[in-house]
Every structure is written in structure tokens, then in C-alpha cells.
Amino acid sequence: MAGDYDVMLSQMKIHNEKFMAAFTNQDPESIGPLYTCDCKVMPTGQDVIEGREGCVEYFGSVMKAGVAKCVVVVDEVGPSGGDTAYERTHFTMHKSDGSLFISGKYVVIWKKIEGQWMYYIDIMNPNN
């Protein structure tokens, strides 16, 4: 249904804006609620990070490494069926002086929990 798809896109946009704001505000705690309780984050070259607390710790460490701003640009969104959807996105992360820290791309599998679309599986890869 078009209405359901529009709601999904709207919720995804809000989540992505909150994710970016967490970096601007240097607030890793605000990232946890964007993910499902059973989430998995899969950064390149690292073990799978599981659960909200793991996400908070991981993204907190990214902030401590010097990332002050994150910009995500959604390239494609589509339903996977039922209560899941995918998002293909590219991103840039910047230091506080505005210089590039890293750029890359990622795929998020979204899961609908009690009517809310949330990050479920987050797979990211750097460009460099």
C-alpha cells in the first residue's frame, strides 16, 4: 500500500536524521534507541557488534576517534517483504575542522517493531 510505504520512508528519514544529529551532538547514547534490541552492526574488519549497548559503545568509539559530523545520503530503499526493508546509502564522516575522516557505503536491513521501523542489520564498508 502506498500509505504504508510513505510511513516507512518517513520513519527512515527521521531515524537517519537522528543518527546524524547524534554525531553533531556527540551523543552516542541517542543512537541505541534507533536500533532493534537484537540488532547487528557489521563494520569492515571487525567482529559483529550485537545489541543496542554494543551500538552505543561502537559509535561512541567512532566519535572519540574524532568524528564530529556524519552525513548519510540514501541511494535506494525497498521493501524486503513483510516487516523488513532495505536501504542502500553512502556516507561521509568529518572531523571537527570539517576535513574528511572517512567515506563509504552501507546497507541497512530495517525491521518493523510494534509499528516502528528500526535499524536491524547495519553493514558498512569504507571507500578507502
Side-chain angles (χ1 to χ4, degrees):
M1 295 183 172
D4 291 342
Y5 186 75
D6 291 341
V7 168
M8 179 186 75
L9 291 178
S10 174
Q11 288 183 9
M12 288 177 171
K13 180 180 179 189
I14 291 167
H15 261 60
N16 287 335
E17 289 170 354
K18 288 179 180 179
F19 184 84
M20 291 185 285
F23 283 89
T24 302
N25 298 326
Q26 295 293 286
D27 181 16
E29 292 292 329
S30 65
I31 291 177
L34 302 175
Y35 284 83
T36 63
C37 292
D38 59 343
C39 67
K40 278 104 180 135
V41 174
M42 303 166 68
T44 299
Q46 298 185 37
D47 291 336
V48 175
I49 298 158
E50 298 188 42
R52 287 180 174 161
E53 282 304 310
C55 289
V56 169
E57 289 176 25
Y58 172 72
F59 289 111
S61 71
V62 172
M63 292 174 194
K64 286 179 185 169
V67 175
K69 181 180 179 182
C70 179
V71 178
V72 299
V73 178
V74 176
D75 299 309
E76 178 181 358
V77 173
S80 298
D83 290 341
T84 61
Y86 72 89
E87 173 187 292
R88 184 178 58 82
T89 303
H90 64 276
F91 69 90
T92 55
M93 292 184 166
H94 303 269
K95 300 176 189 176
S96 60
D97 66 4
S99 64
L100 183 65
F101 185 87
I102 192 171
S103 64
K105 61 261 180 210
Y106 67 87
V107 172
V108 172
I109 298 174
W110 292 77
K111 191 184 223 183
K112 189 175 181 183
I113 307 286
E114 296 179 4
Q116 297 296 311
W117 287 96
M118 305 177 77
Y119 301 137
Y120 172 48
I121 298 175
D122 191 348
I123 306 164
M124 58 198 79
N125 295 286
N127 287 336
N128 45 353

mmCIF file of all heavy atoms in Angstrom, residues 42-61:
data_model
loop_
_atom_site.group_PDB
_atom_site.id
_atom_site.type_symbol
_atom_site.label_atom_id
_atom_site.label_comp_id
_atom_site.label_asym_id
_atom_site.label_seq_id
_atom_site.Cartn_x
_atom_site.Cartn_y
_atom_site.Cartn_z
ATOM 1 N N MET A 42 27.894 -4.434 11.498
ATOM 2 C CA MET A 42 28.979 -5.200 10.900
ATOM 3 C C MET A 42 29.975 -4.278 10.200
ATOM 4 O O MET A 42 29.960 -4.135 8.987
ATOM 5 C CB MET A 42 28.381 -6.231 9.939
ATOM 6 C CG MET A 42 27.386 -7.155 10.635
ATOM 7 S SD MET A 42 26.352 -8.136 9.516
ATOM 8 C CE MET A 42 27.550 -9.217 8.806
ATOM 9 N N PRO A 43 30.860 -3.628 10.987
ATOM 10 C CA PRO A 43 31.877 -2.780 10.367
ATOM 11 C C PRO A 43 32.967 -3.628 9.717
ATOM 12 O O PRO A 43 33.267 -4.737 10.185
ATOM 13 C CB PRO A 43 32.441 -1.970 11.526
ATOM 14 C CG PRO A 43 31.873 -2.539 12.774
ATOM 15 C CD PRO A 43 30.900 -3.603 12.424
ATOM 16 N N THR A 44 33.561 -3.109 8.673
ATOM 17 C CA THR A 44 34.629 -3.814 7.964
ATOM 18 C C THR A 44 35.780 -4.149 8.911
ATOM 19 O O THR A 44 36.213 -3.302 9.688
ATOM 20 C CB THR A 44 35.151 -2.944 6.808
ATOM 21 O OG1 THR A 44 34.073 -2.703 5.920
ATOM 22 C CG2 THR A 44 36.275 -3.611 6.057
ATOM 23 N N GLY A 45 36.252 -5.374 8.849
ATOM 24 C CA GLY A 45 37.431 -5.785 9.608
ATOM 25 C C GLY A 45 37.214 -5.981 11.094
ATOM 26 O O GLY A 45 38.177 -6.122 11.839
ATOM 27 N N GLN A 46 35.981 -5.998 11.548
ATOM 28 C CA GLN A 46 35.694 -6.164 12.970
ATOM 29 C C GLN A 46 34.667 -7.261 13.171
ATOM 30 O O GLN A 46 33.935 -7.619 12.252
ATOM 31 C CB GLN A 46 35.163 -4.862 13.558
ATOM 32 C CG GLN A 46 36.151 -3.720 13.485
ATOM 33 C CD GLN A 46 35.632 -2.482 14.190
ATOM 34 O OE1 GLN A 46 34.981 -2.565 15.223
ATOM 35 N NE2 GLN A 46 35.917 -1.329 13.625
ATOM 36 N N ASP A 47 34.628 -7.773 14.388
ATOM 37 C CA ASP A 47 33.602 -8.743 14.737
ATOM 38 C C ASP A 47 32.231 -8.086 14.684
ATOM 39 O O ASP A 47 32.103 -6.859 14.784
ATOM 40 C CB ASP A 47 33.840 -9.283 16.148
ATOM 41 C CG ASP A 47 35.081 -10.160 16.229
ATOM 42 O OD1 ASP A 47 35.493 -10.726 15.190
ATOM 43 O OD2 ASP A 47 35.653 -10.270 17.334
ATOM 44 N N VAL A 48 31.204 -8.897 14.572
ATOM 45 C CA VAL A 48 29.830 -8.399 14.596
ATOM 46 C C VAL A 48 29.555 -7.807 15.972
ATOM 47 O O VAL A 48 29.890 -8.401 17.003
ATOM 48 C CB VAL A 48 28.831 -9.531 14.285
ATOM 49 C CG1 VAL A 48 27.397 -9.047 14.441
ATOM 50 C CG2 VAL A 48 29.066 -10.088 12.892
ATOM 51 N N ILE A 49 28.965 -6.631 15.990
ATOM 52 C CA ILE A 49 28.580 -5.957 17.225
ATOM 53 C C ILE A 49 27.092 -6.206 17.399
ATOM 54 O O ILE A 49 26.306 -5.951 16.481
ATOM 55 C CB ILE A 49 28.891 -4.455 17.131
ATOM 56 C CG1 ILE A 49 30.393 -4.267 16.958
ATOM 57 C CG2 ILE A 49 28.356 -3.711 18.338
ATOM 58 C CD1 ILE A 49 30.781 -2.956 16.348
ATOM 59 N N GLU A 50 26.713 -6.724 18.552
ATOM 60 C CA GLU A 50 25.321 -7.107 18.771
ATOM 61 C C GLU A 50 24.681 -6.294 19.874
ATOM 62 O O GLU A 50 25.311 -5.995 20.872
ATOM 63 C CB GLU A 50 25.232 -8.593 19.100
ATOM 64 C CG GLU A 50 25.741 -9.465 17.962
ATOM 65 C CD GLU A 50 25.491 -10.943 18.179
ATOM 66 O OE1 GLU A 50 24.384 -11.293 18.638
ATOM 67 O OE2 GLU A 50 26.390 -11.727 17.879
ATOM 68 N N GLY A 51 23.421 -5.962 19.680
ATOM 69 C CA GLY A 51 22.627 -5.289 20.703
ATOM 70 C C GLY A 51 22.830 -3.783 20.752
ATOM 71 O O GLY A 51 23.815 -3.242 20.252
ATOM 72 N N ARG A 52 21.872 -3.137 21.375
ATOM 73 C CA ARG A 52 21.902 -1.675 21.459
ATOM 74 C C ARG A 52 23.125 -1.152 22.191
ATOM 75 O O ARG A 52 23.733 -0.172 21.775
ATOM 76 C CB ARG A 52 20.637 -1.164 22.152
ATOM 77 C CG ARG A 52 19.411 -1.257 21.298
ATOM 78 C CD ARG A 52 18.204 -0.738 22.038
ATOM 79 N NE ARG A 52 17.051 -0.715 21.148
ATOM 80 C CZ ARG A 52 15.809 -0.662 21.581
ATOM 81 N NH1 ARG A 52 15.561 -0.595 22.881
ATOM 82 N NH2 ARG A 52 14.816 -0.645 20.720
ATOM 83 N N GLU A 53 23.474 -1.785 23.301
ATOM 84 C CA GLU A 53 24.635 -1.316 24.065
ATOM 85 C C GLU A 53 25.906 -1.413 23.239
ATOM 86 O O GLU A 53 26.767 -0.529 23.304
ATOM 87 C CB GLU A 53 24.779 -2.080 25.384
ATOM 88 C CG GLU A 53 23.819 -1.613 26.448
ATOM 89 C CD GLU A 53 23.925 -0.115 26.731
ATOM 90 O OE1 GLU A 53 25.043 0.393 26.941
ATOM 91 O OE2 GLU A 53 22.873 0.551 26.741
ATOM 92 N N GLY A 54 26.011 -2.474 22.455
ATOM 93 C CA GLY A 54 27.159 -2.612 21.569
ATOM 94 C C GLY A 54 27.215 -1.489 20.549
ATOM 95 O O GLY A 54 28.295 -0.962 20.240
ATOM 96 N N CYS A 55 26.055 -1.096 20.035
ATOM 97 C CA CYS A 55 25.987 0.024 19.075
ATOM 98 C C CYS A 55 26.442 1.314 19.728
ATOM 99 O O CYS A 55 27.214 2.083 19.140
ATOM 100 C CB CYS A 55 24.565 0.206 18.558
ATOM 101 S SG CYS A 55 24.019 -1.090 17.461
ATOM 102 N N VAL A 56 25.971 1.564 20.932
ATOM 103 C CA VAL A 56 26.344 2.783 21.648
ATOM 104 C C VAL A 56 27.854 2.811 21.858
ATOM 105 O O VAL A 56 28.508 3.834 21.618
ATOM 106 C CB VAL A 56 25.574 2.883 22.983
ATOM 107 C CG1 VAL A 56 26.140 3.997 23.857
ATOM 108 C CG2 VAL A 56 24.084 3.096 22.726
ATOM 109 N N GLU A 57 28.415 1.696 22.289
ATOM 110 C CA GLU A 57 29.869 1.632 22.510
ATOM 111 C C GLU A 57 30.629 1.832 21.206
ATOM 112 O O GLU A 57 31.602 2.585 21.157
ATOM 113 C CB GLU A 57 30.242 0.289 23.138
ATOM 114 C CG GLU A 57 29.801 0.146 24.574
ATOM 115 C CD GLU A 57 30.109 -1.234 25.134
ATOM 116 O OE1 GLU A 57 31.027 -1.912 24.637
ATOM 117 O OE2 GLU A 57 29.414 -1.636 26.083
ATOM 118 N N TYR A 58 30.196 1.152 20.146
ATOM 119 C CA TYR A 58 30.898 1.263 18.873
ATOM 120 C C TYR A 58 30.863 2.687 18.333
ATOM 121 O O TYR A 58 31.900 3.271 18.007
ATOM 122 C CB TYR A 58 30.313 0.295 17.832
ATOM 123 C CG TYR A 58 30.896 0.540 16.468
ATOM 124 C CD1 TYR A 58 32.215 0.191 16.183
ATOM 125 C CD2 TYR A 58 30.155 1.179 15.475
ATOM 126 C CE1 TYR A 58 32.771 0.457 14.941
ATOM 127 C CE2 TYR A 58 30.704 1.440 14.231
ATOM 128 C CZ TYR A 58 32.012 1.077 13.976
ATOM 129 O OH TYR A 58 32.563 1.355 12.752
ATOM 130 N N PHE A 59 29.676 3.268 18.228
ATOM 131 C CA PHE A 59 29.584 4.609 17.663
ATOM 132 C C PHE A 59 30.198 5.650 18.595
ATOM 133 O O PHE A 59 30.721 6.661 18.139
ATOM 134 C CB PHE A 59 28.142 4.944 17.274
ATOM 135 C CG PHE A 59 27.693 4.168 16.065
ATOM 136 C CD1 PHE A 59 26.726 3.181 16.168
ATOM 137 C CD2 PHE A 59 28.254 4.414 14.823
ATOM 138 C CE1 PHE A 59 26.318 2.461 15.052
ATOM 139 C CE2 PHE A 59 27.860 3.700 13.697
ATOM 140 C CZ PHE A 59 26.893 2.711 13.816
ATOM 141 N N GLY A 60 30.173 5.389 19.905
ATOM 142 C CA GLY A 60 30.888 6.255 20.845
ATOM 143 C C GLY A 60 32.378 6.242 20.565
ATOM 144 O O GLY A 60 33.050 7.284 20.614
ATOM 145 N N SER A 61 32.920 5.068 20.235
ATOM 146 C CA SER A 61 34.354 4.977 19.929
ATOM 147 C C SER A 61 34.690 5.695 18.617
ATOM 148 O O SER A 61 35.763 6.278 18.481
ATOM 149 C CB SER A 61 34.818 3.517 19.875
ATOM 150 O OG SER A 61 34.318 2.862 18.720
#
